[in-house]
Amino acid sequence: MQTISTLQSLIGGRWLGAEASVPLHSALNNSLIYHTHAEKIDFDEAVTYARSTGVPALMSLDFQKRAACLKALALYLMERKEELYTISHLTGATRPDSWVDIEGGIGTLFAYASMGSRELPSSNVLHEGPALALGKNGGFAGTHILVPRGGLAVHINAFNFPIWGLLEKFAPSFLAAMPCIGKPATATSYLTEAVVRMMDDSGLLPKGALQLVIGSTGDLLDRLTGADVVTFTGSADTAAKLRVNKNLITHSVPFTAEADSLNCAILGPDVTPDDVEFDLFVKEVAREMTGKAGQKCTAIRRIIVPKQHVEAVGERLRERLAKIVVGDPSVKEVRMGALASMDQHRDVSERVEMLARGNEILFGARDGFNPVGEGAANGAFFSPTLLLCRDGMNNDAVHDIEAFGPVSTMMTYSDLDEALALAARGKGSLVSTLVTKDTAIAARAVPVAAATHGRVLVLEREAAVDSTGHGSPLPQLKHGGPGRAGGGEELGGIRAVRHFLQRAAVQGSPTMLAAITGEYVRGAAVREEALHPFRKYFEELQMGDSLLTHRRTVSEADIVNFGGISGDYFYMHFDEIAARDSQFGKRIAHGYFVLSAAAGLFVSPAPGPVLANYGLDNLRFITPVAIGDTIRARLTCKRKVDRNRTDDKGVGQGVVAWDVQVTNQHDELVASYDILTLVMKKG
């Protein structure tokens, strides 16, 4: 007799759970596979452990070290991904469906590790500059900083992506030094438990960085304070209930929701059945209907097409859907798996019945639905279902009722304004797709659609070559939407990390602001020594180390020679008469000559710790430099970022940003920029 495992929660640094409680069944044949545990979780212990152990452990690392930890964790999980695929099979997911969840989730860890190493400092203070002068004499300034909140993040996730759903929230909150308590949906919590066990076994996470709740959240939300954060992914109804939790409101606990929404795809009025874009539209809709058996919060629920093409779209969609083999994904021919559970099957069935009232079913179970695989008759398989609503403007149900499965409703429009009005009837969605080959239509439609959608995909033959598709949130771009979609934001690069940090305005002298932010602020005290800053190793450099160069007078020969080398013979530099009639009234030097001349003034030419100049930011040419003007430069160490890396020879390196100010003989600023250099470590 097969032993049925009991899932466990990870609370207070230990795994809890031995007594079986709620039975969990395979989506493929409804066989019993796991139980949740019956032991009650002490949420006071969980919250206290996160605050007393997790927060200090994460704060002992800086942004850069946490980013490195994420990368190591991603590599660890990637090596063990096949174990997760085996378990994911029980959820009814095909290999491509599981790829999105498993490798998509791990890929998000990689993405945030990379973004963190590039964009975040080697400290726990993120300067959100620039600093602004607040007084006439330069002694008083203000800026903004972002710092860890000192609280914990509660991440409540949906059943459809048990791994990606956790990891895409965990990555930015971990970078922000917030310990995480993850709560997966019960139906597929066994897959979340598997990945959390791997993360715990890795030994890569600081103690208290991650806890797992199997089952109910109990009184967890009632124990949070204003330092904490709650994120939620799931139904709009559940989001609405959680949002009004009395304790969350009383303590102003940030609450972010990403809710299921009635996303749409619009076929542009310019596209005909003979166009490549027409087939792209049909393919995208069919893929979104059947991928993950339609169990995606980004799936296309409403298909908005020109009235004259409704029959053609319907015919081609039916042809595609008829070729989809549904069943156990272990069967080679299967392209669509099961819904997550029989409860989900019942819910989708009820909603399809509601949507069908007054509408036509163009494709459904009656069209030869016969899931394949051993025991499939008992599984949670559901036929792809395509409905047609011929009067979408006067049918509220198609804009209000979501069947969270392989179900979409097609509706018609007469002109682009009506199409956009139908799209907006979803009352806020995560994503919409516009398929058009006309740039004017895209320029007109996208700003309108963007008001009610969190993301807009414009699809045509050029974009299709690399497009990741309608239903794929990317770590680099914002995920979330207004209204029904929850009104929140996830992902979006470092934006997501900022959501988990506390922003504060800071006022004081430039010197004080520099000390607080760890970044040189113009006007702050500098440190000038006999040793050139470029002769210092990474460890020896300090923020504020500065060099004021000797002077150089710009001659006509400089301008002529630079023009000859660069090929830049712009009239302002060479035509005396035309230059005299310009706003400057005289010939001026090339801006890039000024840049090059400044480098000549401050660069230390001999071999040394500075290995390479690999970037230049914030360049501004402010005051023109004329023949006879004398320039000099001030080079100041602005910030240091220790990326904890070595080169091929094992030599450590760090990144140093230098503030450069080029002035003329009147002490007027003529050019301003930052240069980025790789600097060797001494150790």
Side-chain angles (χ1 to χ4, degrees):
M1 183 176 177
Q2 182 182 3
T3 302
I4 306 302
S5 298
T6 297
L7 301 178
Q8 294 184 306
S9 295
L10 178 59
I11 301 295
R14 72 185 193 284
W15 288 94
L16 166 71
E19 184 181 345
S21 182
V22 178
L24 303 180
H25 299 268
S26 166
L28 303 174
N29 54 26
N30 207 34
S31 61
L32 181 63
I33 51 175
Y34 294 99
H35 286 101
T36 63
H37 65 79
E39 289 86 348
K40 187 176 180 181
I41 296 174
D42 183 347
F43 286 108
D44 180 62
E45 177 190 3
V47 169
T48 300
Y49 184 68
R51 297 193 201 287
S52 62
T53 302
V55 171
L58 286 167
M59 287 296 292
S60 69
L61 308 175
D62 59 31
F63 287 115
Q64 286 290 318
K65 290 178 180 176
R66 291 192 292 272
C69 184
L70 281 184
K71 181 178 180 180
L73 183 63
L75 289 168
Y76 182 90
L77 294 178
M78 191 63 81
E79 291 174 355
R80 293 156 179 79
K81 65 182 180 181
E82 291 304 324
E83 299 174 40
L84 299 174
Y85 274 108
T86 299
I87 301 171
S88 181
H89 179 76
L90 299 173
T91 70
T94 64
R95 178 86 184 194
D97 293 338
S98 295
W99 182 91
V100 175
D101 188 33
I102 297 169
E103 297 190 50
I106 298 172
T108 299
L109 295 183
F110 276 122
Y112 272 95
S114 177
M115 289 185 283
S117 70
R118 291 195 316 268
E119 301 180 44
L120 296 175
S122 47
S123 71
N124 279 319
V125 177
L126 177 57
H127 183 204
E128 198 174 52
L132 305 172
L134 300 177
K136 294 180 180 180
N137 300 315
F140 189 55
T143 193
H144 293 90
I145 59 172
L146 291 161
V147 297
R149 300 174 63 91
L152 62 111
V154 175
H155 299 313
I156 303 172
N157 294 309
F159 66 83
N160 51 341
F161 290 105
I163 292 179
W164 179 85
L166 173 70
L167 297 185
E168 63 98 11
K169 295 180 175 68
F170 171 78
S173 56
F174 180 84
L175 277 179
M178 294 198 88
C180 159
I181 298 178
K183 160 58 178 98
T186 300
T188 54
S189 56
Y190 50 89
L191 187 50
T192 310
E193 193 227 39
V195 76
V196 172
R197 279 192 182 278
M198 283 186 184
M199 296 165 75
D200 187 49
D201 290 343
S202 75
L204 294 168
L205 293 178
K207 290 185 180 300
L210 176 62
Q211 298 182 77
L212 174 69
V213 173
I214 298 294
S216 169
T217 54
D219 63 354
L220 173 58
L221 299 187
D222 297 330
R223 297 180 178 277
L224 303 182
T225 70
D228 305 318
V229 170
V230 177
T231 72
F232 170 81
T233 298
S235 73
D237 290 342
T238 304
K241 293 175 183 176
L242 294 177
R243 195 188 299 274
V244 296
N245 173 279
K246 183 178 179 181
N247 183 64
L248 299 187
I249 294 173
T250 299
H251 292 96
S252 301
V253 179
F255 179 90
T256 297
E258 184 264 281
D260 306 332
S261 59
L262 290 156
N263 312 292
C264 69
I266 302 172
L267 181 65
D270 59 305
V271 180
T272 71
D274 297 325
D275 290 323
V276 171
E277 284 73 16
F278 195 91
D279 287 330
L280 288 174
F281 180 82
V282 172
K283 180 180 178 181
E284 194 71 19
V285 169
R287 180 171 66 172
E288 287 300 314
M289 284 183 66
T290 57
K292 196 70 174 176
Q295 299 170 112
K296 298 198 304 184
C297 55
T298 53
I300 295 171
R301 304 298 181 197
R302 298 175 300 145
I303 310 162
I304 303 173
V305 302
K307 189 172 295 184
Q308 66 271 25
H309 298 318
V310 64
E311 304 301 334
V313 172
E315 181 180 349
R316 293 198 196 179
L317 273 174
R318 285 196 300 269
E319 290 174 359
R320 277 191 171 270
L321 296 175
K323 296 176 183 178
I324 300 293
V325 179
V326 180
D328 186 331
S330 63
V331 178
K332 184 178 179 181
E333 296 78 17
V334 166
R335 293 295 177 269
M336 189 182 99
L339 299 178
S341 65
M342 291 306 298
D343 285 342
Q344 185 64 14
H345 189 283
R346 284 186 287 273
D347 182 74
V348 173
S349 297
E350 292 172 1
R351 290 172 182 266
V352 168
E353 285 185 20
M354 297 166 68
L355 286 169
R357 294 168 192 162
N359 295 315
E360 306 168 42
I361 296 181
L362 299 184
F363 187 90
R366 67 191 182 195
D367 296 282
F369 179 59
N370 184 29
V372 300
E374 185 177 350
N378 298 319
F381 298 100
F382 200 94
S383 171
T385 304
L386 176 66
L387 298 100
L388 172 62
C389 173
R390 294 190 180 273
D391 187 8
M393 292 302 293
N394 293 301
N395 187 320
D396 292 336
V398 296
H399 305 294
D400 293 336
I401 298 171
E402 180 183 23
F404 200 73
V407 182
S408 292
T409 302
M410 187 163 56
M411 55 195 74
T412 63
Y413 71 85
S414 299
D415 56 32
L416 185 59
D417 287 338
E418 185 178 6
L420 294 170
L422 287 168
R425 288 285 299 278
K427 303 179 184 68
S429 302
L430 294 171
V431 56
S432 63
T433 287
L434 171 66
V435 175
T436 179
K437 51 191 174 71
D438 189 326
T439 55
I441 288 176
R444 177 184 166 198
V446 169
V448 177
T452 52
H453 296 81
R455 175 166 57 90
V456 181
L457 167 66
V458 182
L459 186 61
E460 34 71 56
R461 65 193 72 187
E462 182 180 349
V465 177
D466 295 312
S467 174
T468 52
H470 168 100
S472 299
L474 298 173
Q476 300 88 345
L477 297 176
K478 170 207 163 186
H479 178 50
R484 180 190 173 109
E489 282 192 20
E490 297 175 348
L491 302 178
I494 295 300
R495 289 171 60 93
V497 180
R498 288 187 168 95
H499 291 323
F500 294 103
L501 296 169
Q502 170 63 26
R503 178 180 287 105
V506 183
Q507 297 167 285
S509 70
T511 300
M512 285 297 181
L513 294 184
I516 293 164
T517 62
E519 184 172 297
Y520 173 70
V521 174
R522 287 186 181 174
V526 296
R527 187 180 303 100
E528 296 179 293
E529 299 174 350
L531 184 64
H532 193 294
F534 277 16
R535 313 310 304 170
K536 294 184 178 183
Y537 288 92
F538 183 80
E539 300 96 325
E540 297 171 334
L541 272 169
Q542 298 181 54
M543 183 269 295
D545 283 352
S546 188
L547 170 72
L548 182 63
T549 70
H550 58 280
R551 298 178 177 86
R552 172 174 177 166
T553 299
V554 177
S555 68
E556 181 177 17
D558 290 329
I559 295 175
V560 172
N561 290 335
F562 189 83
I565 293 172
S566 66
D568 180 354
Y569 294 101
F570 188 57
Y571 81 92
M572 194 66 72
H573 313 308
F574 287 91
D575 189 330
E576 184 74 38
I577 296 174
R580 194 181 304 131
D581 293 335
S582 73
Q583 61 178 322
F584 304 121
K586 55 189 173 183
R587 288 167 62 191
I588 60 173
H590 304 72
Y592 290 102
F593 166 76
V594 175
L595 203 66
S596 300
L601 291 170
F602 64 66
V603 165
S604 178
V610 174
L611 301 172
N613 171 3
Y614 77 95
L616 185 150
D617 291 336
N618 308 314
L619 173 62
R620 294 291 185 273
F621 297 118
I622 299 164
T623 303
V625 175
I627 297 169
D629 281 351
T630 299
I631 61 173
R632 71 192 312 187
R634 178 171 286 283
L635 175 80
T636 307
C637 177
K638 184 173 183 177
R639 64 177 173 273
K640 296 169 51 182
V641 179
D642 187 349
R643 292 185 174 175
N644 303 294
R645 294 180 183 175
T646 58
D647 62 14
D648 295 338
K649 298 179 181 179
V651 177
Q653 300 176 352
V655 175
V656 177
W658 305 85
D659 176 77
V660 180
Q661 302 174 69
V662 185
T663 55
N664 61 18
Q665 67 272 22
H666 305 297
D667 288 331
E668 297 170 326
L669 193 63
V670 300
S672 170
Y673 53 97
D674 296 346
I675 57 171
L676 307 174
T677 61
L678 288 177
V679 179
M680 185 188 306
K681 289 185 176 180
K682 189 174 185 178

